[in-house]
Amino acid sequence: MLRGGGYFVWAAQPVYKHEEALEEQWEEMLNLTTRLCWNFLKKDGYIAVWQKPSNNSCYLNREEGTKPPLCDPRDDPDNVWYVNLKACISRLPKNGYGTNVTEWPARLQTPPDRLQSIKFDAFTSRAELFKAESKYWNEIIGQYVDTLRWKEMRMRNVMDMRAGFGGFAAALISRKFDCWVMNVVPVSSTNTLPVIYDRGLMGVMHDWCEAFDTYPRTYDFLHAANLLSAERKRCNVSSIMLEMDRILRPGGRVYIRDSIAIMDEIQDIAKAMGWQVTLRDTAEGPHASYRVLVCDKHLLHA
């Protein structure tokens, strides 16, 4: 998970205590990190800091038989869904992808190198697709702010349920919203997580036909753009919406931006769950093929 040149900080008793058993653990840690090619930088008080290398030279120059070994070159380190752990070291990309990231906050709007490694069919420049998505969501958030009074909303924990390149979260940050966004990449979509992380955002991959691994009533706001119409081919829409209800706090809000063809079904499910719903036109007007369903979850009383 750690990118090339990234840092590992260890705060543990073997760092600062000098009992015999703990000193043995410290020596074991030094031995392991040396074999991992991590560079020991500093030990200060309660913490110790290492840095991961930025290229493969140390890995390739280790003595033959050193454990852990390098992973098989055929292994895909970006394959992260239902993959067993392996006791091996993933090689860093030779082109530096994932290591050479722009400094924050410029990296939020800069197309990262790893954009070129995303596996999808693109008939136009990937950088242009990246910029177009960022521009699109910045305009959409602007419309939400102007017409739906988003600046008055109290939202801290936000989830984008179909995040793409993370343009929705980037637009919120650019407009100074004080919130934290979990960017979810559905397993049924292209794996864009490397781009999301290289932008300096947080994200996770998930199958929306399964339960989301989080505590109930976690999120203040859920945003689902073109998600339900895509996932209805794989599983029951009502199951996904019930999972949304589980992770949404009472008083929370959901925005479902999707096709007209599915809106009647979504509205019926939302009302059955006790959500208060309002169907709104998009900025394209009443003749557009998309609508926005605004849903509010209230406390239900017996």
Side-chain angles (χ1 to χ4, degrees):
M1 293 188 296
L2 190 63
R3 67 172 78 249
Y7 297 91
F8 175 77
V9 179
W10 196 36
Q13 288 187 351
V15 175
Y16 59 88
K17 286 194 173 181
H18 301 289
E19 300 169 10
E20 183 176 350
L22 295 175
E23 288 186 350
E24 288 180 4
Q25 293 178 29
W26 171 252
E27 291 300 322
E28 289 175 3
M29 186 64 167
L30 285 178
N31 181 271
L32 173 61
T33 53
T34 299
R35 286 182 280 118
L36 288 174
C37 287
W38 290 3
N39 180 32
F40 178 57
L41 297 181
K42 191 173 184 179
K43 181 177 178 181
D44 187 5
Y46 293 87
I47 66 169
V49 183
W50 287 264
Q51 185 175 22
K52 182 176 175 176
S54 298
N55 56 57
N56 293 314
S57 60
C58 176
Y59 299 149
L60 300 176
N61 289 322
R62 297 186 309 164
E63 291 185 9
E64 186 176 351
T66 300
K67 300 291 184 178
L70 292 178
C71 296
D72 190 303
R74 293 170 295 182
D75 287 344
D76 182 2
D78 289 338
N79 189 11
V80 296
W81 189 252
Y82 283 137
V83 177
N84 292 329
L85 288 173
K86 292 184 179 180
C88 61
I89 299 172
S90 296
R91 292 170 172 83
L92 292 165
K94 294 180 181 178
N95 49 26
Y97 287 2
T99 300
N100 302 321
V101 291
T102 308
E103 291 293 324
W104 181 267
R107 65 191 284 189
L108 185 65
Q109 303 298 343
T110 303
D113 292 337
R114 280 202 289 186
L115 181 63
Q116 305 306 319
S117 65
I118 300 300
K119 299 174 183 177
F120 69 97
D121 295 328
F123 297 100
T124 58
S125 163
R126 291 169 184 243
E128 290 304 314
L129 288 174
F130 175 93
K131 293 175 182 177
E133 188 202 74
S134 296
K135 182 175 184 291
Y136 172 79
W137 281 117
N138 197 50
E139 291 175 352
I140 295 298
I141 297 299
Q143 295 162 11
Y144 287 164
V145 169
D146 295 338
T147 61
L148 301 178
R149 300 186 296 183
W150 266 33
K151 285 296 184 181
E152 299 176 14
M153 289 174 56
R154 292 184 300 170
M155 57 180 185
R156 177 63 179 168
N157 294 351
V158 177
M159 177 188 287
D160 185 0
M161 298 177 67
R162 190 169 185 259
F165 293 139
F168 178 81
L172 289 177
I173 293 172
S174 296
R175 289 182 173 269
K176 309 299 183 185
F177 278 90
D178 184 20
C179 62
W180 173 88
V181 183
M182 172 59 76
N183 294 281
V184 181
V185 175
V187 295
S188 56
S189 302
T190 301
N191 181 8
T192 53
L193 269 181
V195 174
I196 288 170
Y197 275 102
D198 286 359
R199 295 184 81 168
L201 303 171
M202 296 298 296
V204 68
M205 183 167 277
H206 180 61
D207 186 343
W208 282 115
C209 295
E210 301 181 13
F212 190 83
D213 186 11
T214 192
Y215 190 80
R217 301 171 299 280
T218 299
Y219 289 90
D220 307 310
F221 182 85
L222 303 178
H223 186 265
N226 306 313
L227 173 74
L228 298 176
S229 58
E231 297 292 15
R232 71 187 304 197
K233 304 168 187 174
R234 304 176 58 247
C235 50
N236 195 305
V237 169
S238 61
S239 297
I240 299 175
M241 293 185 65
L242 284 167
E243 181 64 1
M244 293 166 67
D245 184 72
R246 183 186 73 85
I247 64 179
L248 185 67
R249 298 180 189 278
R253 180 168 288 185
V254 178
Y255 272 46
I256 301 175
R257 190 180 187 90
D258 219 314
S259 161
I260 291 176
I262 199 175
M263 275 302 167
D264 288 342
E265 179 183 359
I266 294 173
Q267 284 191 85
D268 290 343
I269 297 170
K271 291 176 182 177
M273 294 192 303
W275 290 359
Q276 181 179 332
V277 302
T278 305
L279 187 63
R280 296 181 177 273
D281 293 332
T282 62
E284 290 81 4
H287 301 296
S289 59
Y290 286 84
R291 295 287 186 275
V292 178
L293 189 67
V294 180
C295 310
D296 291 289
K297 177 179 177 179
H298 298 299
L299 271 172
L300 297 179
H301 301 281

